[in-house]
Structures are given as C-alpha cells and as structure tokens.
Amino acid sequence: FWFYIGGRGKDGAPIITFPEHPGFSDLPEEEFLNVVTYLTSIPSLDAASIGFIIIIDRRRDKWSSVKASLTRIAGAFPGNLQLVFVLRPSRFIQRTIADIGIKLHRDDFKMKVPIIMLNSVSDLHGYIEKSQLTQDLGGSLEYCHNQWIHHRTAIENFALTVKTTAQMLQIFGTDLAETELPNDVQCTQDLLSSHTGKHDKLKDELKLAGKQGNTLLSYIKEPVTKNSSYTLNPDEVENVATVERLLVQLDETENAFDQFWSKHHQKLEQCLQLRHFEQDFREIKLSLDSLIEVQAAFTDIGDCVFQVEQLLKELKQLEEKGQASLEKAQGLAVHGDQLIQSNHYAVDSIIPKCIELRRICDDFSNETKKKYDILGKSLELHTRLEKASQWCETGIYLLATQAVDKCQSQEGAEAALLDIEKFMETAKEHQLSNPKEFHNQFDIILTQDVKANVQKVLQKLEDVQEMFEKRQMSLKKLAAKQTRPVQPVAPHPESSPKRSSPKPARNLASAVEKEAATIRVGPYIEVMHEASQGGSSRMLVMSESEENLCTRRSHIMNELIETERVYVEELQSIIEGYVSEVDSPELAHLIPAALQNKKGVLFGNLAEIYEFHNRTFLKELGNCIENPELLGICFLKRKEDLQIYEKYCQNKPRSEALWRQCGDSLFFQECQRRLDHKLSLDAYLLKPVQRITKYQLLLKEMLKCSKNSEGTAELEEALATMLDMIKSVNDSMHQIAITGFEGNLNDLGKLLMQGSFNVWTDHKKGHNKVKDLARFKPMQRHLFLYNKMLLFCKKREENADGHEKTPSYSFKHSLKMSAVGITENVKGDNKKFEIWYHGREEVYIIQASSIEVKNLWVSEVRKVLTGQLEACREAQTFKALSKASLVAQIQPPAQSPKKSQTNNLNKITLHFGIRLQIRGKFNPQSFSKNPIKGSTDASTSHKPEHSALAKKRFTLQGLSNRRLPPKGPLGPAVKAKRHEIKSDPTPLGFEGTNK
C-alpha cells in the first residue's frame, strides 16, 4: 500500500510514496496509523523536523481514491508534513472530476500544507530530482522493498536485543544493590561465586549483542565494501546511523555496567576479606582468652627457691606457648591495618578489633613481665631467706664449736671474740642487718604463708644475734680479767664438731630415743601399721566403688529424667505447632491435598503418647530420682501403657509414605519456621521410635550399677519387658507388611517369632522328580510363627521414590500348628531343623542363619506344641474323670467302684494314646514326664505284625483331626498295640535326629 523509498527532497525532506493499490480504502484505520507512525519514526530527528513529502500515485485510479487518501493523511498522519504531491488520474473524466473535487474539498482535508496536483511524472521532476525517485516515478533510485524489509527487521531485532540486554543489566544491577551481605565466610564465597557467574553470563550476552550489531552494520555497508564507487542512499545512511547509534548505546550500557560491577565486586571481595578477618579474629581471641585465663590462674609465687625456679620454668613455657598466638594476633592486626588503608567499607568494624588484638597482646606481655618481676622478687626473697637460715646455722655452729677451755685464757677469749666479730660483719653482706627494711623491700609479694616464713627467719636472726651479743659480752669480760692462771678442768665438750649447735644435739638425742623405742616395738608397730593401712585402703576402695556406682546411678537417673523432659517438650511442640495447625483456618490454604482428612495417618497416636508421658510417666520417673531402686517397678507398673508405642510403630510406614507425598509443602515449611526448628517434621516423628529403644539402653546401664542391690530383680524384669516390647513392636511392623493372606491375622493368636530362612520341601504326594528338585533347590522364605499357624511368605523389597527399600511379605503357604511336628536336628547341618505336617506327608527342611537362631525357633515351636498338649491333656483328663464318675454311679454293687473307674480310665487313656500319634511307639507313662525334652535318636525298629500301627507317625496334629476308636471290647490288634507302647519311652510330639 505504501513504502518509504529513502529518497529526499531538495531540502532533505524524507519522501513517503503511496503507490496505486485497489485495496487501499479497505485498510483498517488502526493498521494505517501504525504503519504511518512507523514510517515517520525511521528518519533521523533532523530529517523528520524538516517535514515529510508525500507522493500519492493515483494515475490509473479514480477521484474517490484520491479523496480517500487525502482524507486519511489529513486525519491520521503523525509526522510533520511539508508537501503533498498527487499524480491525479490520467483519464480525462477522472482528471476533470479530480480538478473540480480538489477545488471544492480542499478545505475539507484540513491540511496546513499545500496539495499539488500533478498531471504527469515529468511535472514531479520539477519538484524532486530523479536521483531521489524510484524507476516507477521516472527516477534512478534503486529500491528493493524486500531488502528494505530485511534491513528494517534486522535493525528492529537488534534494537530489541539492545533494549532487552539493558533491562537485564538494570535488573541485575538492582538485585546486586539490594543484596544483603552475608555474615559468614562460606555464604560470602557462595554469593561472590553466584554474582560472578551471573556477571560473566551477562557479559557473554553483551558480547553476543555487540557481535550481532557489528554483523548487521557490515551487512548494510556491504555494497560500499564490494564497490567503492557505490554511494549509500539516504535510507541506507539512516540505517547505518541507527545501527551505529544502537552500538554506541550498547557500549555505553556495558561501560556503565562494568563500572557498577567493579564497585560491587570490590565490595564483595572486601566483604569476604572482612568475614575472613572476623573469623580469624574470633579464633585468635578465643585462643588468647584461654591463654589469659591460664595466665590469670598462675598466681603461685612459691615457698622455696626450688619451687620458684620451677614456677619460672612454667611461666617461660606459658610465654613460649602463647608466642604463636601473639604472633598471629599481631599479624592479624597488621592485616587489619592494610584493610583500613585500602579504603575498606567496614573500617568502623575493623579498627576496634585491631585495637582489641593489640590490647590483649600488650596485656599478656605486661602481665607476663609483671609475673616475672614478682617471681624474681620471690626468688630473691627465698634466696635471701635461705642464706639467712644458713647464716644462722653457721653462727650456731660457730658458737657450738668454740671450746670453753680455750676461752678461759685472755688470748683464747680474744681469739674467740675476733671470730665472733668477723662473723657479725658478714650480716651486712647478706643485708640482714635491718629487718624492717628487708620487710618493706618485699612487701609486694608477702602472702600470709610467706610472711609467716619471713617472720620465722627474722625471729631466728634476732635470736642468733642475741646469742652472739651475749657470747660477745662474756668473752669481753674474760679478755678483760687479769687474774692468776687457774688449772682448767674442762667438762665434756658441749657438742661434737660435726654437730651444728646445742639445740640440734638435743633434738638428735630425742630422735635417737624415739628410734630406739621404735626398734623395741618395731615389729608390732609395723604389723599394725600394715593392717591399718590395708584395712583403710580396702575401705577406701570399697567406699570409692560404692560412691562411683552411686554417682553413675545418679548420672543415669539425671539423664533419664532430663531426656524425658526434653522428649515431652518436643512432643508438645509437634502437637501445638503441627497437629493443631492442620485444623487452623489461618493455614488452611497451605495444607496439601494429600493431607486432607489424613491427619491421623501422618501423626498416628502421637497425642496419646504425649498425654501419657506428660501427665503420668514423667512425674513417676521424677519420683525415682531420690530412690533409683524404684525405677524397675515404675517401668513394670506402666508396661501395659507403653504398649501404645506398638500402634504408633505399626502406623509409621503409612506415615512415612504420606510424608514423602506432601513433606515439601509450604504448610510444613511455615510451621517449621514458626517453631524455629532446625529439623523438619519427619525427624521429630521419629522421636517416639528412638525413645522406646532408649529406655532399654538406660535400663541396661542402670542394671550394671545396681548388682546385688535393692531393686535389681525388678530392673532385670523391666529390662526383659522392654526388650520383649521392642521385639514385639519390631515383629508387628513386619506383620503389617504381609500381603495376600486371606483371613484375619488377629485370629492366629500372638505373633511369637519372625525371620528369613532357606527352605527345602519334601512331599510324599507328587512326582519323584519334582520332589528331588524341590529338595536340592532352597527357597528364600520369611516365616511368621503364631500360636495357631505358621506362615510362609516371600520377602519383596520395593523402592519408595528414591527412599530406603521397604520390605513386603507375599503370603505363600500356611501350616496349622495343631497338625505340625518338629525334628530338632537334621543330619549334616546343625543349623537345620524340620517342620512336618500331617504325619510327614509334607516335610519342610528349614535352615537358619546361625545355630542360635535355630535354637530359638525350635524352643518356641516346642513351647507351642507343649502348650497344646497340656491343654488337650487337661481336657481329656477332665472328660475321663467325669465319665468314670458316671460309670461308678451305674455299676452293680458287687463290683468295686475303684476297679471300675480304673478300667474306664485305662480305656480312655488308650483311646487318647492312639489319637496322640507319635513317631515310634506310645508310652502312657510319658504323660507324667516332661514333654519338652526331645529325643536324640528317632530310629526305631517296628515289628511286621504291628506295621499298620507302627507306620503311624503321630504328633499333636491328631488332637483335632482324628476320631476316637469305637466303643466296646478292644480287638487283638489294639491290645497288641497297647502292649507294645508300654515299653517305648519316646516323648510325645517331638523327634530327635532325622537319619
């Protein structure tokens, strides 16, 4: 209908051509406006501001078409018009009508620009150069409409790509600006990696867009590239300018994005540096705090030189140990300074940490120096105290070694006096002349013990000085006397040269006396000492052992009570945070469809368990805290109530299946968020299963600490009860997985045992080959033993949506226990036993995984068979007694009632014995024996004349399936059989080794 040819008027005005088209008037107004608007948007703003030139070619059309075109242009042209050229119809009549019409309707077109009616194309050339017109208008401008459309489409796509890319960059930039920085290293690393990945992806998009624009630009410029003399028309020039403008816009957008990303990336890297700095700070500060704590506890200053020297070594070791942490702290502070100098955004957070690190290092160093000073003074003090003590001892030794006879003369007294004066002068060398000054010098480290020691040494110094002063005065008097010589008669020396002083001599004497006394009564003292030591040692060990056991019992009780309290709190949170919220209108819109009307399936009887523990069990356990010996009684008292766990565990597979369907729903996420739980609901739904198994562990530990004490028997019984309950729960969870059994499992009695075995079958009925194949090819069967029936099932494991395999048991076969016999040992394998049915018409050889498992099953089957036998024995005895009483009442008087009763009992016993078919022979006396004891060898030789009866292999099966023999006199065969079975002691219902 129209096209934009790309030509220009003399003043550069863009030209739009409306060629002849018969369907122009049928074009909808909206489409006309859209196209005209698009065409006016193509030229540059400068060209569009000059005004558009419109050429309407209607040479072969009618005036009505001209009128319609002008009307549309006048009413809907969105651009600035300069001129409108109309090539009017060439036919005479239509030209005439056009001339008249244009005169009459010019004002109706409402155009402010001139409308020039042209008769021919040559007239148009007077206004527009031929080089700007296409060939259909007599010009030389090359124009291909398809090429123009292709260029415009490519340009528009590129413009859209530029716009979309800019929007993506804007959105990404907004996300980056609004992202909160993480608080730990790992999250910061993840965020940095994520943002870097998105940035790289957007950069790839930018490169791709730029490549697209450059390719388009090359495509538009291709004619010039191929032919240097080719000149682009204005339209192509406009296209080139548009693409270049878009490329510039894309480049500017990319530069702005790069600048923003550089800042953001720098901030993320600084954030990561900060998180590493903070993490290192926390670790180093923890180490330094521990070091400071150890240093603060280092308060001892020693009681002697040796202790002080040891303390100095320990302080040196502590200093060396802390050196590594101090160096790390100093290095981290330097790293913090570097971050601050690099204009880090978190300077306000880094500066206090650097200050804190340096403060802790300085405090540790100063405190270490202070302790070195204190220990140095302590070492100096104790060194001086030791020297003072040694000075005193030396002085005492000096006084003790001065011979009295030598001091009687003037020369001797003067010599002794000279020795004393020389020794007194050494007091100044040891700075012991002024005790007050000595006290003030070390006042900073004088503790009570050190003060006492100092006071003792100072007192000793005063005493020694006083002794020297007195001796000095005496010697001076002797030296001053001028009397005649007197014959000296000296007594025994006061002390030996080897002794230090008179006082030590007396102490040594007393010590010798004590030693002599000890020698005289030594053996008795030693024996008594050993006895007393041994007794106290044993008492100490015993008290420590009892104390340890008591402490362990206390710890176990505390753990039991505390874990019980936590358990109740967790159950309460589930009840209030999940179970109650299922019925809450506030969260009704979040509840998944799979959970509708299935709250009981998901939670089971959790509320019942919570009520029992919260109202009853927690309080009763709390009452045992002071009396642990009552713990076993508490569990035994509530063993019936604890059966509620069996119901919960049986429902657990259904609950887990439902959780797998709806566990990811927003409802559970919202409940978890409100409760502030770290774990999801399924972890808490497992708590009851974990709790019921926890009790038996705690009871075992309590039993270890309660041997031979009050309540031990009850503890053992409680532990056995809990283990039996766990086994029962475990068995019941297997039982609910049985499929294909037509009947009610509850009618079979209590489930006694369950387990997997290898099973071989051997049937009398059937083809021999089938029997042989069956015997040597074991089947994998899972057996369920009930009071009334033994079930054979096949275990199947199924995947549950990627979760753990859940077993199911497909029912295959069953045996009534009233018709079952057992052979305990099978030759060749001590892990095998036989179950046979209906007199060995069907034999099942069962191989257990271990001898222990086999023995457990054999024992349990024997208990079932024995129980049936005792029940039948009691019933038959009751019937026999009733019948004997009735016979006694109707017997003739001549016959003894006792004898009649005995005969009837013998008959009934015989009937009962024939019904109780045994593998081998029957012994009525065996009723009085223990039926549980099995035979080790079941091989028995049978006489030919009794083969009819001897071939019968009886078990307890006959109790319900066989009829009583007819009443009346016994036949010969029966009598013979009765005679035969008296001599066979084989127990009822069991076999020994199957040979």
Side-chain angles (χ1 to χ4, degrees):
F1 297 118
W2 55 81
F3 51 84
Y4 174 69
I5 63 174
R8 294 290 187 271
K10 294 180 179 179
D11 54 356
I15 299 173
I16 298 176
T17 303
F18 288 79
E20 288 185 324
H21 197 282
F24 180 77
S25 59
D26 299 333
L27 186 68
E29 290 293 334
E30 184 178 358
E31 293 186 11
F32 173 79
L33 180 60
N34 288 338
V35 174
V36 173
T37 302
Y38 176 73
L39 292 177
T40 55
S41 65
I42 293 175
S44 63
L45 293 176
D46 294 337
S49 62
I50 298 173
F52 288 89
I53 298 175
I54 295 178
I55 301 174
I56 303 174
D57 186 4
R58 293 295 182 263
R59 287 174 290 176
R60 289 175 293 183
D61 212 333
K62 301 177 182 179
W63 161 247
S64 59
S65 177
V66 175
K67 182 180 179 181
S69 300
L70 292 174
T71 302
R72 278 194 169 182
I73 293 171
F77 193 79
N80 182 24
L81 278 175
Q82 187 187 66
L83 288 173
V84 177
F85 295 101
V86 180
L87 290 172
R88 54 188 173 182
S90 58
R91 286 177 292 179
F92 177 75
I93 297 175
Q94 292 300 325
R95 181 180 298 181
T96 304
I97 295 173
D99 292 340
I100 297 172
I102 194 65
K103 292 179 181 179
L104 296 175
H105 299 284
R106 182 182 294 273
D107 296 335
D108 297 338
F109 297 140
K110 299 179 181 179
M111 288 189 182
K112 298 181 180 179
V113 297
I115 300 174
I116 302 174
M117 302 294 291
L118 303 174
N119 294 326
S120 63
V121 174
S122 58
D123 295 340
L124 180 62
H125 295 165
Y127 295 95
I128 300 174
E129 296 180 358
K130 290 182 179 182
S131 61
Q132 300 300 318
L133 297 174
T134 56
Q135 293 179 0
D136 58 336
L137 295 178
S140 60
L141 180 64
E142 294 183 2
Y143 175 78
C144 178
H145 192 60
N146 290 333
Q147 184 183 19
W148 183 87
I149 291 175
H150 182 71
H151 284 183
R152 291 309 307 172
T153 303
I155 291 172
E156 296 298 334
N157 288 336
F158 179 57
L160 181 61
T161 300
V162 172
K163 181 179 179 182
T164 304
T165 305
Q167 290 176 349
M168 291 170 59
L169 296 177
Q170 181 66 31
I171 293 172
F172 181 60
T174 303
D175 291 341
L176 296 184
E178 294 177 355
T179 299
E180 294 184 2
L181 297 178
N183 293 323
D184 60 280
V185 173
Q186 186 60 45
C187 291
T188 307
Q189 288 177 341
D190 294 342
L191 184 64
L192 180 59
S193 177
S194 174
H195 283 187
T196 303
K198 292 179 180 179
H199 166 264
D200 295 342
K201 186 177 180 180
L202 287 174
K203 287 292 289 184
D204 292 340
E205 294 288 339
L206 285 169
K207 291 180 180 178
L208 186 63
K211 185 177 180 181
Q212 178 184 354
N214 289 322
T215 303
L216 177 59
L217 186 62
S218 300
Y219 178 69
I220 296 173
K221 292 181 177 181
E222 184 178 3
V224 179
T225 305
K226 292 181 178 181
N227 186 5
S228 58
S229 61
Y230 181 84
T231 303
L232 297 176
N233 60 43
D235 184 30
E236 292 173 337
V237 173
E238 289 288 347
N239 290 341
V240 170
T242 301
V243 174
E244 290 177 345
R245 184 174 66 252
L246 290 173
L247 286 172
V248 170
Q249 181 180 345
L250 185 65
D251 187 56
E252 292 176 350
T253 304
E254 183 177 5
N255 291 335
F257 174 70
D258 287 342
Q259 292 178 3
F260 175 78
W261 168 252
S262 177
K263 295 180 180 179
H264 180 75
H265 187 261
Q266 181 183 6
K267 190 171 184 179
L268 283 179
E269 288 184 337
Q270 288 183 348
C271 178
L272 183 60
Q273 293 172 350
L274 177 64
R275 300 308 174 222
H276 278 296
F277 177 80
E278 291 174 343
Q279 180 176 332
D280 295 341
F281 173 79
R282 288 191 294 268
E283 294 175 356
I284 292 175
K285 189 173 187 305
L286 186 64
S287 175
L288 291 175
D289 289 343
S290 175
L291 204 62
I292 293 292
E293 186 177 353
V294 174
Q295 187 188 55
F298 198 92
T299 56
D300 196 3
I301 61 173
D303 296 332
C304 61
V305 173
F306 177 76
Q307 285 188 3
V308 176
E309 290 176 347
Q310 288 297 116
L311 289 173
L312 284 170
K313 290 181 180 179
E314 293 177 5
L315 183 61
K316 184 66 175 178
Q317 292 174 356
L318 178 63
E319 184 183 19
E320 292 175 353
K321 179 181 177 182
Q323 195 62 35
S325 298
L326 292 176
E327 290 177 358
K328 288 182 179 180
Q330 294 290 352
L332 187 61
V334 172
H335 178 60
D337 294 339
Q338 293 173 353
L339 293 179
I340 295 171
Q341 293 173 2
S342 63
N343 297 324
H344 197 283
Y345 72 89
V347 172
D348 295 339
S349 176
I350 298 173
I351 291 177
K353 291 180 174 60
C354 294
I355 295 174
E356 178 71 8
L357 289 172
R358 290 191 170 94
R359 182 192 64 79
I360 295 176
C361 292
D362 292 342
D363 289 348
F364 180 81
S365 300
N366 294 334
E367 188 66 22
T368 302
K369 184 179 179 181
K370 181 179 178 181
K371 289 188 180 299
Y372 270 123
D373 294 340
I374 293 175
L375 288 176
K377 286 185 176 294
S378 177
L379 180 63
E380 182 183 356
L381 169 64
H382 288 97
T383 301
R384 293 177 65 177
L385 289 176
E386 285 188 2
K387 289 182 177 180
S389 297
Q390 291 175 359
W391 183 83
C392 292
E393 294 295 332
T394 305
I396 293 173
Y397 178 77
L398 175 64
L399 293 176
T401 56
Q402 286 182 341
V404 176
D405 55 348
K406 292 183 180 181
C407 295
Q408 298 299 319
S409 64
Q410 185 176 4
E411 293 81 3
E414 289 178 351
L417 185 60
L418 182 61
D419 292 338
I420 289 175
E421 290 176 348
K422 287 181 179 179
F423 181 78
M424 291 296 290
E425 290 178 357
T426 60
K428 297 180 180 179
E429 297 178 4
H430 296 94
Q431 300 178 356
L432 298 175
S433 58
N434 191 344
K436 185 176 181 181
E437 181 183 355
F438 179 81
H439 183 275
N440 293 335
Q441 184 179 358
F442 298 100
D443 182 61
I444 188 174
I445 60 169
L446 292 180
T447 62
Q448 293 297 328
D449 295 337
V450 175
K451 284 182 179 179
N453 190 21
V454 170
Q455 189 65 33
K456 182 179 178 181
V457 173
L458 292 178
Q459 184 63 43
K460 191 174 183 180
L461 280 172
E462 291 180 1
D463 294 342
V464 170
Q465 287 176 349
E466 184 179 358
M467 291 170 59
F468 270 87
E469 288 175 357
K470 291 181 179 179
R471 176 67 64 87
Q472 195 174 22
M473 290 175 61
S474 300
L475 290 174
K476 286 181 178 180
K477 290 179 180 179
L478 288 174
K481 288 182 178 180
Q482 298 294 331
T483 57
R484 62 182 179 85
V486 179
Q487 180 66 32
V489 182
H492 294 289
E494 293 182 6
S495 61
S496 171
K498 294 183 179 179
R499 294 177 182 174
S500 301
S501 65
K503 286 184 180 181
R506 289 195 296 270
N507 293 337
L508 182 61
S510 61
V512 171
E513 291 178 0
K514 290 181 181 179
E515 184 176 337
T518 304
I519 293 173
R520 286 194 295 272
V521 295
Y524 302 98
I525 294 175
E526 291 298 322
V527 171
M528 291 178 62
H529 177 68
E530 287 181 2
S532 62
Q533 267 197 340
S536 64
S537 177
R538 285 193 295 273
M539 289 178 63
L540 181 60
V541 171
M542 186 178 297
S543 62
E544 284 182 353
S545 176
E546 292 177 356
E547 183 179 357
N548 289 339
L549 291 176
C550 182
T551 303
R552 287 178 61 189
R553 283 196 298 270
S554 177
H555 287 332
I556 295 170
M557 285 302 304
N558 289 334
E559 181 183 358
L560 176 59
I561 301 301
E562 184 60 30
T563 55
E564 184 74 11
R565 184 177 294 108
V566 173
Y567 175 55
V568 170
E569 292 174 356
E570 289 175 339
L571 292 182
Q572 182 181 5
S573 68
I574 300 304
I575 299 296
E576 296 176 354
Y578 286 99
V579 181
S580 301
E581 294 298 335
V582 173
D583 302 323
S584 173
E586 182 183 355
L587 300 179
H589 64 288
L590 298 178
I591 297 178
L595 190 59
Q596 296 293 339
N597 302 322
K598 290 186 179 180
K599 180 172 69 172
V601 175
L602 182 62
F603 298 100
N605 60 331
L606 191 69
E608 182 183 5
I609 294 175
Y610 166 69
E611 291 297 329
F612 164 67
H613 284 271
N614 184 43
R615 295 184 177 181
T616 305
F617 204 49
L618 178 59
K619 297 178 182 178
E620 293 183 356
L621 289 177
N623 295 334
C624 300
I625 191 70
E626 299 296 335
N627 301 295
E629 64 274 4
L630 301 178
L631 183 61
I633 299 175
C634 178
F635 273 91
L636 291 174
K637 178 182 176 183
R638 294 299 173 185
K639 67 179 181 179
E640 298 297 331
D641 296 320
L642 290 169
Q643 295 294 332
I644 56 178
Y645 279 93
E646 184 170 349
K647 179 180 178 182
Y648 184 85
C649 293
Q650 288 177 350
N651 179 69
K652 198 68 177 69
R654 299 175 60 207
S655 173
E656 290 175 350
L658 181 58
W659 172 257
R660 288 194 291 270
Q661 295 179 27
C662 58
D664 296 332
S665 67
L666 295 176
F667 170 74
F668 294 110
Q669 295 177 12
E670 177 62 20
C671 292
Q672 182 179 351
R673 185 191 64 79
R674 292 185 177 186
L675 291 171
D676 195 23
H677 281 179
K678 295 181 179 180
L679 301 176
S680 56
L681 173 62
D682 59 328
Y684 288 92
L685 291 179
L686 195 62
K687 295 290 184 180
V689 181
Q690 296 171 337
R691 190 58 184 169
I692 195 64
T693 57
K694 177 74 172 178
Y695 288 137
Q696 58 94 12
L697 297 175
L698 293 171
L699 287 173
K700 284 181 181 177
E701 293 300 319
M702 182 62 77
L703 193 58
K704 292 178 182 178
C705 307
S706 306
K707 296 296 183 182
N708 303 323
S709 61
E710 185 180 356
T712 302
E714 289 81 1
L715 270 177
E716 292 177 346
E717 186 177 355
L719 176 59
T721 301
M722 294 305 300
L723 291 174
D724 184 63
M725 180 186 300
I726 294 173
K727 176 183 176 299
S728 177
V729 169
N730 183 53
D731 291 345
S732 66
M733 293 186 70
H734 285 275
Q735 173 183 288
I736 62 175
I738 297 176
T739 60
F741 179 75
E742 296 180 357
N744 189 353
L745 293 173
N746 295 326
D747 296 338
L748 305 182
K750 183 180 178 182
L751 176 61
L752 303 175
M753 301 284 285
Q754 56 85 24
S756 296
F757 299 90
N758 291 330
V759 178
W760 291 262
T761 60
D762 185 12
H763 302 315
K764 286 185 177 181
K765 298 178 181 181
H767 197 275
N768 290 333
K769 290 185 178 180
V770 176
K771 294 191 293 182
D772 294 340
L773 289 173
R775 177 173 292 275
F776 291 104
K777 290 187 177 180
M779 299 176 292
Q780 299 295 324
R781 290 290 181 264
H782 201 89
L783 273 59
F784 293 86
L785 176 63
Y786 295 86
N787 277 325
K788 298 183 180 180
M789 191 170 288
L790 177 64
L791 301 186
F792 290 78
C793 300
K794 185 173 183 180
K795 185 176 181 180
R796 304 180 187 278
E797 293 185 347
E798 301 174 356
N799 285 326
D801 300 332
H803 294 77
E804 295 181 358
K805 293 183 176 180
T806 56
S808 64
Y809 305 98
S810 177
F811 172 74
K812 294 296 182 182
H813 188 55
S814 64
L815 302 177
K816 292 183 179 179
M817 294 304 295
S818 60
V820 161
I822 183 171
T823 303
E824 299 181 8
N825 297 311
V826 176
K827 186 177 181 180
D829 192 343
N830 56 5
K831 294 188 290 186
K832 290 182 180 178
F833 63 97
E834 282 186 356
I835 295 290
W836 34 280
Y837 198 55
H838 284 307
R840 299 189 69 87
E841 288 182 359
E842 300 177 17
V843 178
Y844 299 88
I845 302 174
I846 301 172
Q847 184 185 47
S849 59
S850 64
I851 299 176
E852 292 76 13
V853 174
K854 171 216 167 178
N855 292 337
L856 286 175
W857 274 75
V858 169
S859 175
E860 203 64 38
V861 173
R862 288 167 58 188
K863 289 180 183 178
V864 174
L865 299 182
T866 303
Q868 291 182 356
L869 174 60
E870 291 177 351
C872 291
R873 181 190 301 166
E874 292 175 0
Q876 293 297 336
T877 303
F878 176 76
K879 290 181 181 179
L881 292 174
S882 300
K883 186 177 291 187
S885 177
L886 180 61
V887 171
Q889 293 177 8
I890 62 176
Q891 282 289 340
Q895 187 176 0
S896 173
K898 184 175 181 180
K899 183 178 182 180
S900 173
Q901 183 177 3
T902 303
N903 292 336
N904 281 282
L905 282 173
N906 288 335
K907 292 179 183 179
I908 293 169
T909 303
L910 178 61
H911 298 166
F912 182 49
I914 294 174
R915 292 176 62 212
L916 294 176
Q917 300 178 6
I918 310 169
R919 178 172 177 79
K921 302 174 184 179
F922 176 81
N923 182 9
Q925 296 177 358
S926 64
F927 278 144
S928 63
K929 297 180 179 179
N930 184 6
I932 301 177
K933 185 179 295 183
S935 174
T936 59
D937 190 359
S939 61
T940 309
S941 62
H942 303 286
K943 297 180 180 180
E945 61 269 19
H946 304 309
S947 60
L949 289 175
K951 287 182 180 178
K952 296 183 180 180
R953 301 161 184 253
F954 294 121
T955 67
L956 298 179
Q957 59 174 335
L959 297 179
S960 59
N961 298 338
R962 308 271 177 171
R963 297 181 180 177
L964 287 171
K967 297 181 180 179
L970 299 175
V974 176
K975 289 181 179 179
K977 179 63 181 175
R978 182 176 183 183
H979 173 74
E980 180 185 2
I981 62 180
K982 289 181 180 179
S983 62
D984 188 0
T986 306
L988 290 176
F990 305 103
E991 290 186 351
T993 305
N994 180 15
K995 295 185 178 181

